[in-house]
Structure formats: C-alpha cells, structure tokens
Amino acid sequence: MKHNRLAVLFGLGLAATLAFTTVTAQEEAFPVLILPVNQAQFLPGAEFDFRVEVHTRNLPENFAVTVNGTPAAEFFGADPVNEDWEFGGSVVRFNADGVPAADFDVASLAGEYYLRDNPVATIAAADGALTWAADGETATLEATDNVLVYTVVGGPADGATLTFGLNANGAVTGYTIGDAAFGRLSSLPTQSSSVIWRSMEAPAAGEYTVEVTAGATTQAVTWVVREPSTERAARNVILFVADGMTVPMITAARIASQGITAGRIEGQFAMDSAEAIGLAHTNSLDTIMSDSANTASALNTGHIGRVNATGSYSDTSPSRLDDPRVETLASMLRRAYGMSIGFVTTSDFTDATPAAGWAHGRDRASATRANFAIQAFDFQPEVLLGGGGQYLIPAGVDGSARTDDRDLFTEFETAGYSIATSATELESALTGDALPERLLGIFHPRDLSVWLDRNVYTDNLGDFTDQPGLVDMTMAAIEVLAQNENGFYLTVESASVDKQIHPLDQERALSDLIEFDQALGAAIAWAQENAPDTLIVVTADHGHGYEVYGTVDVATFNAGTTDLERREGIQVYADAGFPTYTDPDGDGFPDWNADVVFAGTVNNGPEHTEDFQVSPVPRVPAINQDGVYVDNPDDDPNGILITGSLAPNASTGVHTLQDVPVFAFGPGADAFMGVYHQSEIFFGMAEALGLNPAAAE
Amino acid sequence: MRFITLIIALAVFLLAACSPDNAQLVQVTALPTGQTPPTRTTLPVTLEPAQTQAQSPLAATATPLANNLMAGQAAAMALATDTAFQPTPRSEVSFNEFPVPITFDQFYDGYNMRTGLLLSDMLVSLDGQEVVMEGYMAPPLKPELDYFVLTRVRLAFCPFCSSTGDWPNDIALVYLADGTTTATTAAIRVTGRIEIGASVDAETGMVSLVRIYADSLETLQ
C-alpha cells in the first residue's frame, strides 16, 4: 500500500498547478517526491542516485533531508546538486478551424499566449477593448469588422494585422501576426526544485529512513538494504526471458511441438525438467499492469519502477535520461567479479528487455533508444547479439534511426569487437583460429524476423534472408562468454512471443516459444556437459491473454458463408478431440497447416476477424478508420467477427495481469520456488552468485 | 489485387495554395502494370522555398522542432532543402513520359547493415521529377498535419505511438499543400514531385528518405 500512496502523490504532483498564496513558506505544504521510493530494496554497495523533488519554485528555507536522523550530505559524505525545472502544462497548437458563435465574447480572447513553451505575450480585455503586452512593450488592438481580426496600434508590431484562431469547438487556440503563430496556454506547468546525489553506494545491511522536511511537509520513506549472500554457488547465470510468455502458451506450444496420443504428451519441453518452479507478479510502481521495460528493469535491478522506465526511478524533469539511476546486475557482477556479460535477443537490441541489462532511461522513445545504443557501447558487454542496426549507423546514412553522427558499428570494431551481420558471418566469427573475446552480431536493422518467416514464409524476410536463429545465437554467446574463468551472466530473450501475440498471431508466437525452449534445451545440455555450476532461470516479463479453448475443424469452418455457419466448425470438450498438426521432419516445429487446429484466441483486442489458421503474412488485425480501429478486411477475411474489447484507438491486444511462471535449473535454483514479485528474481540470482557489491574493489 | 471497377469521380481535389472547400478524394482504378502511365493533368505544387538552402537536407532540418509552425511551413522548409539537395545516381536512368509510375519494390536495391539502405538508381534518378505511386495512407496522428505517410500495406500501428524508428523502410512521406485531407483506409494513388534523401520534418521530427509533394490524390476502388 505504501507504493500506492507514493504513486498517488506522484500523480498529484504531475497534475498540480501553482497556487500563489500569502502564507509563508514555513507554513505551506508542498508535494514532495523521494526517489528511490519507500520500501526500495538494495544490496549493500549497489550504486544508485538519490533525488528529492519539492514541487515549488524555490526550496523552502527549512528544507532538510536526513537519513536515519543524520543530515543526508553528512551520511553520504557528499553535497547534492541542485536542479530545478518546470513540468506539465500544455500549449494549445494554433489552429483556425472554428468560427465565432453569434454571442462570441471578445473578453474570451484575453489571456497568456505562448511561442513553443515560452510565455511571450498577454492580451487583456477591458470594456470590450483589447490590449497586447510583452517584454515591457504594449499596444492596443483596434477592432475590425471581424471579431477575430485586429490591427495592432503601437508597439513593435505597429500596423500589423493580428488574427485570432478558434478551434472547431469555438475555443481560442492562439493568434498570428504575419508568419508567426502563438498558442494559448491550456494548463500551467508545475515548478520543481530538487536536489540529487549521484552515484552513491547503498550502505551496510539494515533499514534506512529518509526524512524530508519542506515547508509544512514532512515526508519519510524507508529503504531496505539486504544481507548479502556469503557463498557463491553458481559461477555462471543465464536468464532466459520469453517476452509475454504464459502457461497457456506453453501448454499449447508443447502439444503442437511434441504431439499428443491417448491423452499423453509424447515429449517434453526443456523447461518441463525444472528443479524449481515459481510464480512471479509483474506489477509496476504506478499500476497493476506492466510493460517490458519496468519488468525487465525489475529482473535486472531488483527495483520496481514505472511503466516504460528502465534502470531508474522516474522523476518529473524534462530529460528522459537524467532520472535517478539504480545499478544493474550486470554492472555489479563486472565490478565484483570481473564476470563477462552477454545479451542475446530476437528484437532490436535497444528494445526494453535486452536494454534493461545496461541502460537507464524513463521511456522507450526512438531518441531514448538511440541513447541506449550509446549506453551499450559505454557498457561494452562482451557479447551483444540481435537486431537494431538502425541505431548503430550515423544520421545521414539512409536507414539510420540516429540523430547524431555516431558510427557505433565502427566504434565497437575499434574497441576490439568481432562484428557479424549475418548468420554466415556469425558462424565464421566462431570458426576462426581463436574465439573472439568480444562479439557484436547485428542481423537486422530492426527486430529479427520470427522463426515461421525465417523457415517457412521466407517471402516475408525482404533483404534479410540470412538471420541466425535463437539457438545458434545462444550457443555462440555461451561459447564466447565461457572463456572467462570468472564466469558470465547472459540474458537470452525471445522477443516475438510478445511481438506476435500483440497482433493476435498464435502460430508465429507459439513457433518462437518452441524456438525459445530449444535454445533453453541447448543451454541446459551445455551446462550439464561443461559447467554444472551454471544457474539457469527461465521466466516471462509479463503475460498476454492467450488461451486455447478447443479445436477448429478447418473444412467446416471454411465452408461457412456466415459467422454462424463458420462457428459450427468450433469444437469444445469431447468434440474438440486433438489438433492434427504434424511434424514430418521432426524438428519440433509443427506444420501449422492442419485439418484440425487450435481454437486459440486472445482475450482482448480491437475489432477483428479470426479464422484460427496460420497466416502466410504477419497479421495486421485492425486498421485505423478516423481514429477508431476496425477490422482489417485483408486480415483473416474468412474469419468470424470478434468485437473490440479495448478503447477504440487500440490497434492490437495488450499485456494482461497474471503471474508469470519461473523455472530454475542448477545451483541456487531452490530460491526460485514460491510466489513473489519478479524483482525477487534479481535477488535470487545475486544470492546464487554470492554477490556483495560492497566487497567489490 | 481487386481494384477493377472504374468509379466515377466524386469531386476534384486540387492542391494549389488556395484549395477549394470540402476537398474530396477522387476514386480511380489502380494503375495497370506494364502499361503506359497516365499523362499528368493537374497543376504542379507551388510551394515557395522559405528557408536558407543547405548542402545536406538533414543538416538543414535536424533542428529543434518548431511547435507553432503555420500550416504548410514544415512542407515549405522540407521542399527548400529538397530543392537544394541533388543526389547523384550511380547510373543515371532516363524517363520518357511523366509522371513515372514507381512502386515501393523499386525504391531500394538492398540493405547493408553497416552502410544502410541502398537507394536504387531509378529512385535517385527520379529526384525532382513527377511520379505516380499507389499505396495506403498510414493512420494520421492529427487531422491538421500537412503530410501523411504512404505505405505499401495497411498499417495497424499508430505511427507516433511508439517512434519513428518503428516505421518500415518502404514508406514515402507525402506533403500536401492543403493542410488537411480526408483520412482513408482505401488504397490511394498519389501524383506529384518526388524528392530523395534523408529529411526531418520540422514539425514532427519524422525522418523520411522519400518525399512526394503531391499534385493530386485519388482513391482506388
């Protein structure tokens, strides 16, 4: 509940408007934001930034921050840096779509007008006459026969025509003089005064109460620094994350992959042999729901942050990259043990799940991700394999997503990385005289193509016909990382379980889940053979509402000419029988073209049609029509209509609330038994590794 | 595809500086592949270059975004730099009849992970020329935008919900002289002047490699 209280305060702060009152600062109460938040959990010695915001123009005279009663500057042995800014508030963009109503009141034109975010002019109305004032200059506005058009008399724009604009609802949006347009302010920004201590180290194990005094406000949070583990059971840790994977998806993929006879699955998934199984909650700081950024951040830092934020506690400052940071597991392991670090993903490497391993930022915008690429270079993981080439080439090169001149491919190369840009190059990087010590493999400008397109519907690959699969990338990473006797920490992400179930594409999502399990199987086999002191943890970052509720007889379904006739093909309970997927080549991936297929749907989505059959092209279930997502006539045209269950502007399905499964193998696996928040997975991995960042040199 | 029926034009959509009220989209049939392209009948766009010209379109437009531009100003800024920038094809392709029909498949010869997209000789040779293209209008962010994104296939995703980096490569940014148009999910045909090279829209920050300054916009049925 304490988390919720803070979240509410933060929300209030965002919405707050400045109130100029006559009370003195000592008496006035101000919203205060303390980051890290209440009940934040640390390992001793973990680096973090500590920010206190007070939402007022200047810090009150009695402003004070203490930690367990000691002034914070004394406690940390460092003075903070002051940083002030404004946040919130919005300027209406000038438009002139509307016409004045018959009873238009000229006084409604009075108010402050802005150029971009800067207040530049005030228009006042008195007795039906308008005056203009800015920068100490004034002018009167002489009326014309149009109530929106005035002639400026006096001041720097003497003689010019000033034209107000109304929006379609008749509200004033701003005015123009010549080529310049000025917007009306719709809400005032909030002032924030803050202090920040950067790169502090968490103190020894214990509880620490941080108390902030600001005017009449006194606010306290408690941080918990945990006892570090003293025994290192695992030398290596591999964290497998299937983005968006849930138990219903695993169940369906297992049947499709392994087959089922007389009620018994004919084979096992690699994850089925887990030594410990857990359930992890995925809630974020600001909502019960979650996205891949805050969840991956929880896995990598042990801190619970806001949706879209990674490696940081979100503040209200304009910059998305200066929010107070918390240290990642990879950073601590490198500091404490000199371990090698690797990331393997089927997404753009700047995407949320891989980036949480090294990056710090508030959101997932393109500009932020371009910075995550720089942060990746600064961090220099020994292995980085995935997509995202668009963030490694300089602006000005066709196809770049950067806005600066950084040629990060070349910078990585200069830093000693072997570079691979295709499956062939990845293979040859590993078959040279010596294994590379550092490996950068980028195989697509964006996300890698999914297994089904790489192996079956290859027309969808475009120019990228030589991409490696997740099994090959995983084993390549292990091979390079295992050269370090100090051990390694590798994250392997299957990104498109999520990316394909968003557009409701069950076959593409489940195929990638099968590939994920095969990569896990290869890693387990490697560990058993070569490094039994390897902890392997498998989880999802969040869930999706996919479920199978029966089967579909395709012939009956497709013979229908109405939805009622098509639905006759949907079979449940005993009638469902078994799907008839086959796997003639025995590679574990079924031929999704079958006579009887899963009746599998997602429990939320836009209006769309569903035919339950594999789509030769990636699905686009709904299209935008005047801001409302409606069924895409080109997607599953033979399908039954499923009414939208999301806001009209939602184009695809969304994440759902359920706990996600956790499977653990190897030394330290026991810690993952139970039900807990996913941030505990960080502490479980740290425990197995005997990690005590305070002991690092 | 299935665009086979000629639909009678509903109204004329002119894209001169002063466009008529209630502009509608003309419905026409899709271009027959392999046949002579139609002759241009509409007037060219007359947008005045408003900014200083520069060597690189990106350098000239990668400025902090201006939030309060007048309608058409971002298009004029882009056109100014586009006019100044003349890309050189590796091997010049010449054309006899205008507008030249071009498809998204003809934009690029490939992608090199280290050096980016390889623009086709045909595309680069067309810089500054009249072309006709067909595709779909990506979901617009705001009605008052004076451009839209022409895509090869219908896109489900809100282009600005995530980031410009999420766009596919095969898109063209279409500037309209008139600030607004009727959003449509139908297939459309755009006729206008094509400009090649990286450019950042001054209003939205949208990065594009291919822009069309449209003379006419029609829907296909």
Side-chain angles (χ1 to χ4, degrees):
Chain A
M1 292 313 289
K2 287 168 181 172
H3 287 283
N4 292 344
R5 190 167 59 80
L6 276 163
V8 169
L9 172 64
F10 193 26
L12 281 177
L14 286 168
T17 56
L18 266 185
F20 294 103
T21 61
T22 54
V23 293
T24 66
Q26 298 292 327
E27 295 165 330
E28 195 175 343
F30 304 103
V32 168
L33 184 62
I34 304 171
L35 304 172
V37 299
N38 193 30
Q39 289 301 310
Q41 310 281 306
F42 299 83
L43 287 175
E47 288 186 357
F48 72 108
D49 300 338
F50 170 33
R51 189 191 291 283
V52 176
E53 288 187 32
V54 182
H55 292 165
T56 180
R57 191 176 293 275
N58 296 302
L59 288 172
E61 280 179 19
N62 70 342
F63 176 72
V65 183
T66 60
V67 182
N68 281 357
T70 306
E74 191 181 318
F75 182 87
F76 288 115
D79 287 327
V81 174
N82 273 83
E83 292 177 353
D84 303 332
W85 59 81
E86 290 183 348
F87 67 94
S90 59
V91 178
V92 176
R93 186 181 184 281
F94 175 82
N95 83 68
D97 294 342
V99 293
D103 58 349
F104 182 78
D105 182 2
V106 171
S108 68
L109 299 171
E112 273 199 303
Y113 288 82
Y114 276 61
L115 181 62
R116 299 181 197 169
D117 297 330
N118 303 312
V120 289
T122 304
I123 298 218
D127 302 331
L130 297 179
T131 55
W132 172 98
D135 279 341
E137 304 264 10
T138 57
T140 56
L141 301 183
E142 197 174 275
T144 67
D145 53 6
N146 182 333
V147 292
L148 297 181
V149 180
Y150 296 82
T151 304
V152 180
V153 179
D158 186 40
T161 298
L162 185 153
T163 306
F164 291 96
L166 307 181
N167 66 19
N169 298 325
V172 183
T173 60
Y175 67 79
T176 61
I177 295 183
D179 284 344
F182 301 89
R184 183 71 170 268
L185 196 67
S186 65
S187 66
L188 284 166
T190 301
Q191 309 289 325
S192 179
S193 303
S194 89
V195 292
I196 185 161
W197 284 264
R198 294 245 181 231
S199 299
M200 298 297 106
E201 285 191 3
E207 290 205 348
Y208 296 86
T209 298
V210 176
E211 190 170 277
V212 174
T213 307
T217 304
T218 303
Q219 191 167 313
V221 302
T222 299
W223 299 334
V224 178
V225 181
R226 298 192 184 185
E227 285 288 350
S229 159
T230 52
E231 192 185 339
R232 184 173 182 179
R235 183 161 56 115
N236 310 310
V237 171
I238 309 177
L239 174 63
F240 275 87
V241 180
D243 205 302
M245 174 181 75
T246 61
V247 171
M249 289 183 205
I250 296 169
T251 310
R254 186 191 290 115
I255 287 176
S257 169
Q258 305 295 316
I260 182 167
T261 305
R264 292 181 191 279
I265 313 270
E266 292 182 43
Q268 274 200 321
F269 260 9
M271 57 183 92
D272 298 348
S273 60
E275 294 161 39
I277 297 177
L279 283 176
H281 329 309
T282 67
N283 321 104
S284 32
L285 178 61
D286 51 333
T287 162
I288 54 170
M289 305 312 295
S290 50
D291 86 315
S292 291
N294 72 268
T295 53
S297 181
L299 296 172
N300 277 282
T301 69
H303 291 273
I304 302 174
R306 289 171 72 90
V307 165
N308 292 329
T310 199
S312 60
Y313 281 102
S314 305
D315 61 24
T316 67
S317 72
S319 168
R320 302 149 167 188
L321 296 164
D322 75 342
D323 301 37
R325 296 180 169 194
V326 288
E327 191 174 11
T328 64
L329 181 64
S331 169
M332 294 180 213
L333 294 177
R334 181 176 272 173
R335 284 202 296 128
Y337 291 138
M339 288 169 69
S340 286
I341 308 297
F343 300 98
V344 168
T345 180
T346 54
S347 70
D348 180 322
F349 78 98
T350 66
D351 205 352
T353 310
W358 69 82
H360 307 269
R362 190 194 304 160
D363 68 9
R364 302 174 62 176
S366 182
T368 308
R369 292 170 60 155
N371 187 277
F372 287 175
I374 293 174
Q375 292 187 43
F377 176 74
D378 293 342
F379 184 72
Q380 306 222 330
E382 279 71 14
V383 174
L384 181 55
L385 303 176
Q390 60 178 344
Y391 287 109
L392 293 173
I393 53 179
V397 170
D398 298 329
S400 169
R402 300 203 62 79
T403 53
D404 58 26
D405 291 333
R406 297 286 292 265
D407 177 357
L408 289 165
F409 262 122
T410 302
E411 290 185 43
F412 271 112
E413 202 164 44
T414 308
Y417 281 78
S418 294
I419 311 269
T421 61
S422 65
T424 309
E425 287 180 19
L426 178 63
E427 196 181 341
S428 50
L430 298 172
T431 49
D433 293 338
L435 276 176
E437 289 184 9
R438 298 170 145 202
L439 177 61
L440 175 70
I442 301 294
F443 311 105
H444 199 285
R446 299 191 173 84
D447 300 323
L448 299 192
S449 301
V450 298
W451 186 93
L452 198 59
D453 291 329
R454 275 186 282 114
N455 293 281
V456 181
Y457 299 105
T458 52
D459 284 354
N460 298 324
L461 295 177
D463 295 325
F464 310 100
T465 53
D466 190 20
Q467 304 173 53
L470 190 63
V471 179
D472 289 345
M473 288 198 294
T474 302
M475 295 318 295
I478 289 174
E479 207 174 329
V480 173
L481 295 169
Q483 298 174 97
N484 186 342
E485 289 181 354
N486 296 326
F488 66 83
Y489 169 52
L490 168 66
T491 303
V492 177
E493 187 209 14
S494 177
S496 291
V497 176
D498 167 84
K499 291 183 191 300
Q500 292 300 323
I501 214 71
H502 270 295
L504 320 176
D505 196 326
Q506 66 174 349
E507 294 83 3
R508 279 181 175 73
L510 296 182
S511 295
D512 271 37
L513 202 166
I514 294 168
E515 184 186 40
F516 173 77
D517 189 71
Q518 292 189 350
L520 171 65
I524 292 171
W526 173 85
Q528 285 171 347
E529 179 91 356
N530 301 282
D533 52 356
T534 300
L535 168 68
I536 298 178
V537 182
V538 183
T539 190
D541 49 354
H542 58 75
H544 271 281
Y546 174 81
E547 275 271 27
V548 172
Y549 57 88
T551 63
V552 177
D553 180 81
V554 172
T556 306
F557 186 93
N558 289 351
T561 55
T562 65
D563 277 8
L564 287 177
E565 289 173 9
R566 292 184 188 105
R567 282 161 56 186
E568 293 294 341
I570 298 173
Q571 311 164 130
V572 299
Y573 297 113
D575 293 337
F578 300 94
T580 56
Y581 303 123
T582 56
D583 181 13
D585 61 1
D587 65 354
F589 293 90
D591 179 355
W592 294 104
N593 278 301
D595 298 333
V596 181
V597 298
F598 286 141
T601 56
V602 176
N603 69 3
N604 68 86
E607 177 190 275
H608 67 282
T609 46
E610 179 59 64
D611 71 4
F612 306 97
Q613 296 155 57
V614 60
S615 171
V617 294
R619 288 191 66 181
V620 178
I623 56 171
N624 186 316
Q625 197 164 61
D626 301 329
V628 174
Y629 276 85
V630 298
D631 174 46
N632 178 359
D634 296 339
D635 178 85
D636 282 9
N638 185 44
I640 54 174
L641 184 69
I642 296 181
T643 310
S645 57
L646 295 169
N649 65 355
S651 60
T652 66
V654 299
H655 304 169
T656 53
L657 181 63
Q658 76 268 45
D659 293 348
V660 293
V662 182
F663 306 101
F665 308 74
D670 288 354
F672 297 90
M673 205 100 73
V675 182
Y676 41 80
H677 187 274
Q678 65 191 168
S679 54
E680 294 298 329
I681 292 174
F682 163 88
F683 291 101
M685 294 189 291
E687 174 87 15
L689 287 159
L691 175 63
N692 179 6
E697 289 177 6
Chain B
M1 301 296 280
R2 47 197 167 132
F3 311 118
I4 43 171
T5 315
L6 177 63
I7 303 298
I8 299 168
L10 296 173
V12 178
F13 187 75
L14 285 176
L15 284 158
C18 297
S19 64
D21 294 333
N22 305 319
Q24 294 285 322
L25 295 178
V26 181
Q27 290 196 332
V28 294
T29 48
L31 283 174
T33 49
Q35 291 189 19
T36 312
T39 311
R40 182 164 64 80
T41 53
T42 44
L43 295 172
V45 185
T46 51
L47 287 169
E48 291 300 321
Q51 301 292 314
T52 50
Q53 299 184 347
Q55 292 289 319
S56 154
L58 194 64
T61 54
T63 50
L65 305 183
N67 296 326
N68 274 320
L69 294 176
M70 304 284 284
Q73 217 171 331
M77 290 166 74
L79 183 65
T81 48
D82 272 336
T83 306
F85 181 68
Q86 310 272 328
T88 310
R90 285 158 293 148
S91 172
E92 182 87 33
V93 180
S94 56
F95 307 93
N96 296 323
E97 287 190 71
F98 294 91
V100 178
I102 181 169
T103 64
F104 288 107
D105 292 343
Q106 295 168 313
F107 273 20
Y108 309 113
D109 284 345
Y111 186 98
N112 179 298
M113 214 62 68
R114 300 288 297 270
T115 56
L117 281 165
L118 189 60
L119 275 54
S120 72
D121 284 333
M122 178 185 181
L123 183 70
V124 178
S125 299
L126 278 169
D127 184 76
Q129 312 272 8
E130 288 289 319
V131 298
V132 56
M133 277 204 77
E134 291 173 356
Y136 295 91
M137 194 184 283
L141 175 67
K142 302 175 192 170
E144 71 262 31
L145 277 184
D146 55 7
Y147 73 72
F148 67 89
V149 176
L150 188 71
T151 61
R152 189 172 56 82
V153 295
R154 287 186 170 115
L155 285 187
F157 303 96
C158 161
F160 295 89
C161 291
S162 44
S163 70
T164 51
D166 292 342
W167 286 97
N169 285 327
D170 40 5
I171 59 170
L173 197 152
V174 178
Y175 278 113
L176 305 163
D178 184 345
T180 60
T181 187
T182 312
T184 176
T185 55
I188 56 174
R189 179 193 297 172
V190 177
T191 310
R193 168 176 163 181
I194 195 167
E195 291 286 347
I196 314 303
S199 175
V200 181
D201 181 73
E203 184 174 9
T204 62
M206 169 85 196
V207 179
S208 62
L209 287 178
V210 177
R211 289 157 301 288
I212 300 175
Y213 297 87
D215 300 339
S216 80
L217 192 58
E218 299 151 318
T219 63
L220 306 178
Q221 199 62 300

